[in-house]
Structures are given as structure tokens and as C-alpha cells.
Amino acid sequence: MKKLSITDLNLKNKRVLTRVDFNVPLDKKTGAITDDTRIRATLPTIKYILDKGGKAILMSHLGRPDGKVVPSMSLAPCAKRLNELLGKEVAFAPCCHGPEVKKLVEKMKDGDCLLLENLRFHPEEEANDANFAKQLAELGDVYVNDAFGTAHRAHASVEAVTKHFKECAAGFLMQKEIEYLSKALENPERPFAAILGGAKISGKIDVIKNLFDKVDLLLIGGGMMFTFYKAQGLEVGKSLVEADKIDLAKELLKEAKEKNKQLLLPVDCLIGEKLEEGAEKKVVKIEAIPSEWQGGDIGPETIKLFSERLKDARTVVWNGPLGVFEVKDFAKGTEAIAHSLAESTSKKATTIIGGGDTAAAVAKFGLEEKMSHVSTGGGASLEFLEGKTLPGVAALTDK
């Protein structure tokens, strides 16, 4: 990796200001954490700081409080969970800057850990405010970013804060994310396949365009497939279609043909009168979707076709579920392809799961550990795959 790593820093007796991503889901009634994946993902970095005699000062956001103090979005539950996972006391600051926080930092001993309150309780965080960033920077001697999930945001704790440090390094999670995604784009073992799903083409246009010249095989599923079918003049019933993206879909199909690229669309799909549990459903060929029905998942023939084509792939990047996986009746396609990739991983293929819904689906099916890498950043991994420079990565010190 071309950026400074946490292992390049001398952390002993240092205040290590560390951006983590503790944006975890909370139960609306109890306020309890329902999935601590993001906290566990950054444990290696936190433990390394503490083991090397550094003082870990952690900062994160949670939810979208829009620059206001929203008690239900406090990071207090994260401090409690981190306490349990580390097996040692984690102090919690009632704010993320100011005299009270400075006093807490001054009391810290080597090997201590402090979590600051939600950064987004202050509008200056998302505004990338220079003065706010300076106040954050005053709490640390060196800076570490382990929050890949926010690396695509030029926020104060991600970008502006780095201007106040000589050494800004990547934590272990950030490093792992950059290395896996970079290798897939720059030097993949071939055949290289990409699976793109999710509801809309609009969110994946730049990914498709960037991957077009890099992959050997591109598989399309999810809601976006119906816009491609509409572009071919097929009737898709009430299925989700982006009318303003039909011409773009035509262009992409034409480009695939001209460049002799293998772009595979589903051959059948599972449709329902409604996309909900218990609704009447049936499998049809793509060209035979009745006017009052809508597509909710890829069909069995497509599962077989996609699985067969993925067998030989040595690198696979997957971003976007292949159906409405949150509804059990329409989750079979996404689950089957997840199992196919898990099998590929066991045969030494590199399988990379984009964050967001794809990561949630893989977790739902209990297959996280069976993949080479599951990204913790939905938007960040998407922008990385688009070929964009992420502000949080660019801001780190070059080696």
C-alpha cells in the first residue's frame, strides 16, 4: 500500500486520534446494538494502539442527527459494547471537543481508551469545517483512519483534520479494504467476474463503465435488470424500471456487443403479484411477465447459469443483491449465488463483497466468514469501484 500504515508509527506515549466507523444499527425501542460488525472490524487497530502503549482516542458518527444532539443516536451503547469486546474499561466523553474532553484526554494513561460522542451532533463535521477539525486535532499527537465506510466523505474528522498532523496513517481495516479493492481493479487473477445487482442502474452507472474494460464477465441482476429488458423492447409488467435510464441501458448493451464483452442478463425470474411474504408468485421466462405482476428475484435457470459461469472465476466482485432478499420468498437467488461464491472461496478464488445491502445479505445467510473480504463501506466501496479517489484515503500520508 502506498499510504502510511499504523505499523509505521511509533505509538508509545502518544495520543492516537483514531477515526472509526461505529455507525451501527440500534433497536428503536431499547437502544441496544443489533449488529456490532463494524465495532468488531476495527478491534485489531484499537488493540494494536493499546498494546503498543498508545492512548486510543476514538471518534465516530452514528446515524443522521443533522448537526443536532439526538440522544437516541448517542455513541454510549458503542462504548459499552467496546468495553465488553476489549475486556477493559472504555471511557466515554460527553462531547467530541472542548475543555471537558481535553481534561479527560489529559487524565489518560498509556494503554487507555476513550470514545468521543457522536461527531455529527455538530454541523461542522459534515461541513468539513477547518476550525472544528483543528479542535479535534488538538486531542491527538498522531492520526489514524480506520473508517473505510466514511472514506468517500470529505468531512472534518476524515479530511480537514489530517492537515494538522505530520503523520496520518491507515488502520488495519482501512488497509485491508484498500488492498483487496485495489488488487481487484489493478491486478486481478483471471478470469475476473463482477456481479451487479440492487434496485437501480443510476447508482451503478460509473461502476459498470469502470469495470467494463477490466472484467471478463459481467452478471446483472436485481431490480436494474428490468431497465435492461425494457431497453430490448420487452414487457416487464409492474417491475421496477428507470424510464430515464433506458437509453443508457441500450448504450451499455451495444458497447458490450462491440467490445465482445460477456454481459449476462437473467433468463428467468420469480415474479409476484406483490413483493411481500405469502403473495402469489411464479417463475416465468423474462419475456413473459404479465402486466399486473412484478419481478422480485432471479429464477432457477438463472441461478444455474450464473453459478456455472462463476465456477471458473478466480476473482469476483459483487455489489448489489439479485432480488428482494429482505423478503424470504424472494431471497433464493441472492442466497444461492452467495453459496456459489463461498464455494469458490474454498477453492482459492478471491471473493470481494461490496458493503451495504450485499454485505447485509451475506451476513443474513451466515456466509461472511466464507468470503475473502466483506467490505464495511457501501458507498465507499461503490465509489472505489467507480475509480474515484476517496478523500479519506487521499488525505493519508504517502509513504
Side-chain angles (χ1 to χ4, degrees), residues 57-122:
I57 299 145
L58 313 176
M59 52 182 180
S60 178
H61 74 285
L62 196 159
R64 298 177 186 271
D66 297 324
K68 300 179 190 76
V69 175
V70 180
S72 63
M73 294 182 192
S74 170
L75 282 162
C78 297
K80 183 172 179 281
R81 183 65 185 128
L82 184 59
N83 198 318
E84 293 164 355
L85 291 167
L86 287 175
K88 67 171 288 161
E89 189 192 347
V90 175
F92 183 62
C95 191
C96 58
H97 65 85
E100 203 177 340
V101 179
K102 280 187 176 178
K103 279 179 190 171
L104 286 170
V105 171
E106 281 165 16
K107 285 180 190 171
M108 291 177 78
K109 297 182 179 70
D110 295 347
D112 280 355
C113 187
L114 171 70
L115 175 62
L116 309 180
E117 182 56 286
N118 197 335
L119 292 159
R120 289 191 188 170
F121 282 176
H122 306 269

Side-chain angles (χ1 to χ4, degrees), residues 44 64 258 282 330 355 376 379:
R64 298 177 186 271
E258 286 170 354
K282 58 184 175 182
F330 297 97
T376 54

Side-chain angles (χ1 to χ4, degrees), residues 381-397:
S381 62
L382 202 59
E383 290 196 17
F384 202 103
L385 293 173
E386 287 170 9
K388 289 180 180 174
T389 300
L390 307 186
V393 176
L396 298 176
T397 309

Side-chain angles (χ1 to χ4, degrees), residues 18 20 44 46 127 133 145-146 148 213 243 330:
T18 309
V20 292
I46 298 168
N145 192 341
D146 208 32
F148 180 75
D213 294 322
F330 297 97

